[in-house]
Each structure stands twice: as structure tokens, then as C-alpha cells.
Amino acid sequence: MSQTITHAFDAAGFDALLASQSEPDWLTTLRREAFEHAQAMQWPERRHEEWIRTDIRMFQLAKFGLPALKPSDCQLADTDQVHQLVQGVELGGRVETVDGCITKASLDEDLAAKGVVFGSLSEIAQSHPELVRPYLFTAFDPDHDKFAALHAAFMSGGQFLYVPRGVVVDRPLHIGSILTDGGTDTTHTLVVLEDGAEATLLHESNSTDSGNAGLHLGSIELVQKPGSHLRYVNLQEWGHKTYHFAQQKAVIDRDCSLQWTIAAMGSLLSKVNQSVDLIGPGAYSQVNGVMFTEARQHLAYHTLQHHKAESCRSDFLYKAAQQDKSRTVWRGMIKVDPAAQKTDGYQRNDNLVLSNHARADSIPGLEIEADDVRCTHGSTTAKVDEDQIFYARCRGFTRKEATRMIVTGFFQQIFDRITIESVREALGAAIARQVREYA
Amino acid sequence: MTHVLKIEDLHVSVGDKPILRGVNLTINHGETHALMGPNGSGKSTLGLAIMGHPGYEVTSGSITLDGKDVLEMGPDERARAGIFMAFQRPMAIPGVKMADFLRHATTNVRRPDRKEGEELIPMREFRKELREKMEHLRMDSEFARRYVNDGFSGGEMKRAEILQLAMLQPKFAVLDETDSGLDADAVRLASESIADIGHQKMGLLIITHHDKLLEHNPPEFTHVMLGGRLVETGGKELAVELHQHGYDRIRKAYPDAEALNQKLLAEDAEEALA
Ligand SMILES: Nc1ncnc2c1ncn2[C@@H]1O[C@H](COP(=O)(O)OP(=O)(O)O)[C@@H](O)[C@H]1O
Ligand SMILES: [Mg+2]
């Protein structure tokens, strides 16, 4: 790790953080409360259902400092070079961060003129508190666990997108979060779409080098008002010694659609809770998840599709491939409240285990309290089929080429659901990079 | 020089179960051989052993192509050397488009020395050729965009195998029941296509239970397999006889082979029950 720790995740660090900010009082109050809770909370119990498969004994918060408190202490990195979702895409705006410091923020004038707001969360919390305050921490729960509370207390350099009623953002917006070696990122992303608004947000997280250590304590909140449509893409390629703890949650109202694509490739250990609350009739959420792991990576995704209103549809598909000694955990839950009649819920997780030492845990779950619903779930875990390999070899493919092709084909079902070309390409390239040299 | 695929005293086991018990067969380039025999006699096993399926162990004997030891080669090297098999039951590869699969396959087979990662045949050139071949085989162009054998009907799979034969242009091809599971029209189309693509242009080993395929591709030789051995070899008229009268004469004439065949079938039935 290249960085020395100036401020730690402790009381002194917290005071220094508050002293360095000029944010509104209501936000400071939220932070203080979260910090008190964090201090009072224990680290998750090993026996806790959410952590029973994810061992964090090696994780030491004390090894990481706070993100830089002064702009002059911010690290610089060539962000364009590491971003992949922007190739050949005409963007409407960009927000870039390095170790949680905002290094670039731009929004096309025509969009700004329509009332779209996109940029640094902490700056906008000062300049437009009326846009931020009603929504911040409404989807995200700082009391979920100690990681969530720490995030809420120490968040910095977040991003905020607001799209007013009826406004269609016709070009994708981009968020790039970068970690330097040993860096910390406590980014909070808040997206608010008013009634009938539409947007596409491409969000990618990278380390400056794939071997980097680092800490990401993050959260994403997506708030969608009735009839709004959001396509949201997360490409996570943190360095392979990075810890990634995140709460990612959407709350979508009547007749909304949300297409949420997650590709998780990086980090040493990830523990992510991803959930979508469907709170108004006719809401639809599609989630496409890709995990591809190697070495000793451990990626745990806990998904929740919570139907709180009637006649909503949710469709979650996670596909994961595991190499070397890596492991993924997927634990899904469809929750249907008594009021959520006519729910159509689907969840599926397919795993392709590419090594004898790799492991995939797949735990689907249903909790249904309404009687007129259709909920289905599925889970498969398999190795690459030797008969498929033989067939391809009979057509001239080497074993390695055959394996690559089969792995790519395995993920194709996800690609087929993604409607953004640059995302399909970036994902395809990311997967191709990840495929090991098979003997 | 005429290419020769030569199989000598081939013994093949699956696990510790002997299936082929000394097969001898020489196919010259341009010749058509019919391989007939009752179910379970070992016809598919011979094809899979020729391709190098890892589950089919050659316990003795040899397979050579123009004098080169085929048994030393992996299945992909055999394919690149010009050996092909149209499978009785082809595998599905979900998520991989027929066109992408074939482009890669065609490149590797045409450029046997190609290293992994080197360029494939230019997309344009390949698409044009594929389209022509598919039109010729009266296949819908949408076929190329479908995933390899994924959700294909039995007939579609067989036609896809023929398309691969057409694209890869091997020196030798084993066609394992490429005419089964098809309706009468489709059998005729398949028979004509194979005659067009392969008859006298390749060395063909045709495994079939029907007569149409052989009418369009008259064999110089007909071999009858029973109990893992080729018990009889004749000309075209032997195929005609077997089509008309079945295997009763053969079973009676070769009681030892028939006993082995029955034994294997009985074991299959046992395994199916277990
Ligand atoms: N993979 C296998 N595992 C077990 N037995 C097999 C396998 N393949 C072939 N056999 C056995 O070998 C015998 C010949 O099979 P096969 O070559 O498929 O016959 P044919 O194609 O002539 O019908 C059968 O008894 C069959 O059960
Ligand atoms: Mg057979």
C-alpha cells in the first residue's frame, strides 16, 4: 500500500472530517447519528445468516485511512484510461472521483437548462438542499450493519443525479470511481427521477491497477417517482486486494421501470446487499448480474426483490463463473407483502464452476404473504460440460478456445438482456480478460 | 497422392467394458463406405474413437491418416488434419451463435497451424460463404444467429451437422445417422446435400438404417458390424439386402458376435434399470 494514514475511522478522524466540511447542519446531524450508531455497533457476527459464508476476520479497518479531507490532498489518476463504459458513447455528463475526491464534474448545458442536476453530492447538498434532503437515506438504511453506519458517517465525494418531472435525458451519464493503491472510497450515489423522467447512468468502479489494495465502503440509492424509467449499470473492477462493502437499493413507484445491470469482477472480498422495493402498482424491475472471479476472490451478493404493491414484476438473473480458488455467494430473496397481489417475481442464479477448488453458493429464497402471485426461482451450479468441449474440439477448437467460448456463451444470456451496446462490449471485454489460461 | 484413413485391429473400451474387438477398415479418399449393423453393435463407438473421444479408450490397434498416427492427436488436431464426424446426438452450446462457432471452426480447420488468438477469417468473406452454403442447403438465414444446437429439433440438428460438413470440407467424414429423425422430404434433401458436398470428394463412412441416403450416395463398400467387429464386407448389394431382409441372416451366420452383441445390450438394459 502506498498511502500513509492521516485520519482514521475513529473519533478524531470523524471530528477532522466534520471540521473540513462546510455542509448543511441536517447532513452533519445525519452523520453524527450514524457515527454514534457505528461506535455502538459490533462487527457482524460470524453466525449471522448474511455473514456465515463470508469471513471478514482478515479485514482490518485500521489499515485504511479516510479519503482525503482537503482537495489539495487528493490523488490524481488518469481516469480516462481505466474507464471502459465510455468508449464510443456520446455522454451527457460525467462525474469522476479518485479515492472519493471529485476530480471532474460536467453536464451538458441543454440538460442543465432542463433542470437536470448532476455532480458532487456534497456540493449539491449545499447548493440545492431541497433536492437532496428529502431523499438522502430514504432507500439506504444506515442502521443495516456497522459497515452501513460507518459509510453514513464517513461518506465523501458522492454523486448526485436529479432529473425533473417528464425530462428525458437522451444521452447516458457516466460516473467513474477510481481507487489508487491503498486508497479509500466512501462514495454515496443518490439518483432521483421525478415523475415520468428517464435516464441512463453508467457507473464504473476501478482501481488504477488490478492488483491494488483498497477499501470501498459505499452505498447507492435510486429513487424513482411514478412512471420514471432508469437504466443503471454498475461495472465493478476493484483491484484484487480491495475490500468492497456496499448497500445498493432502489425504491421504484407506480409504472416505473428499472433495468439494473451489475458486473462484479474485481475486489478481494465483496459483500453487497442489492435490493429493489416495488412500492407502486405496475412497477417493473429487471436485474442482470454477472460475477466472474479468480484467484482467492470472494464475492457475496445478497439480493432482495421486495414487492410492496400489487401487480409489479421483478426479474433477477445472476450468472457467475468461478476460477482458481475463488468463491461466490448469491443469496436471493423475493419478498411479497400481503398487499402485493398479482405479483410476478422471478429470480435465478446460474453458476459455472471452472476449477475443482472454486466454489459457488447459491441460496434462493421466497417469502410470500399474498395468495394470488406467481413467483419462481431457480439455481444451477455446474462445471464446464466435457461433452461440449469434445464437440467443439471435433470442430477444431483447442480445449482452451472451447472453454473460453463456452464461458462466453454462458454469460451471453445476460448480454441478450442488456440494451446498451457499449455496455455489452465492455462487459464482453471484461469477461474475456478474466478467462484463465486453461490447460 | 490419395489420402488414406486406415484402421487396423482396433479395440476400444468404455471404462473396463470392451466394445470394439478388432476392427479393420481402410478408406481411400473419394470412396464411400456404408457401415450397417443392429443397435448397440458399436458403430457410433467406432466414429467416436476415430475422433478421439476421451471416454473411448483404444486398448490396442491403430488409426492412421496417410501413415500418420491419429491416436497421438487430440480431437482438435484430428479435425485440423481433416477428419470430421457428424454426430448422432450433437451437443448444444447455449449462448454461442452458429455463425461465430463456424467462423472459428472454419478458420482453425483451414489454417491448421493457427495459434490461439490469431486472426479469424475476415467476417465479410466468411458471412458471404456461409450465406451461399446455407442457401444451397435451403436453410433459413436465421439459423446462423441461433445458438449452436440449442433448442434445435432433431431434424435441425442434423441439418446443422451437414452445414458444418459443407463449411469444413474434411478429407474424411463419419456420418452417424445423419438421416434419422427426419421426415421423408428432409431425408431426401439431406441425402442430396451430402451427395453434393461429399460424395466422391471425401472419404465417407456413412452409418445409416435407411436406404435413401445410400441411393444418393452409392457405397463402393458395405460393412456390417456385430458385437464390435466388422463381420462382413460387400458392395452396394449388401446394403440393399440388409435393408430388405434385416439382420437375421447375419445374426445366424455369426453366432459368437451375435452373443456379444446381445450381452452388451443386456448390460445396457441393466444399467438403464439401475
Ligand atoms: N459412453 C458409453 N458408456 C457406456 N456404454 C457405452 C458408451 N458408448 C457406447 N457404449 C456401449 O457400447 C455399445 C455400442 O454402442 P454404440 O457404439 O452406440 O452402438 P451403435 O451406434 O451401433 O448403436 C453399446 O452396448 C453401448 O451401450
Ligand atoms: Mg449409434
Side-chain angles (χ1 to χ4, degrees), chain B residues 177-250:
Chain B
E177 302 200 21
T178 306
D179 55 352
S180 62
L182 303 178
D183 62 30
D185 280 347
V187 167
R188 184 161 30 77
L189 180 60
S191 305
E192 287 168 7
S193 305
I194 289 165
D196 192 27
I197 300 160
H199 191 54
Q200 299 180 336
K201 292 177 197 142
M202 303 170 183
L204 291 180
L205 182 64
I206 298 181
I207 300 170
T208 178
H209 293 298
H210 308 290
D211 46 4
K212 264 278 170 294
L213 187 48
L214 296 180
E215 273 174 29
H216 285 87
N217 298 272
E220 282 90 7
F221 303 94
T222 301
H223 311 277
V224 187
M225 188 171 268
L226 189 67
R229 272 200 321 252
L230 298 183
V231 292
E232 230 173 70
T233 291
K236 192 169 57 182
E237 70 295 336
L238 178 56
V240 174
E241 182 219 312
L242 296 173
H243 279 131
Q244 284 174 356
H245 304 294
Y247 293 103
D248 283 356
R249 178 182 68 75
I250 300 281

Side-chain angles (χ1 to χ4, degrees), chain B residues 44 88 176-177:
Chain B
S44 294
Q88 187 175 355
D176 193 358
E177 302 200 21

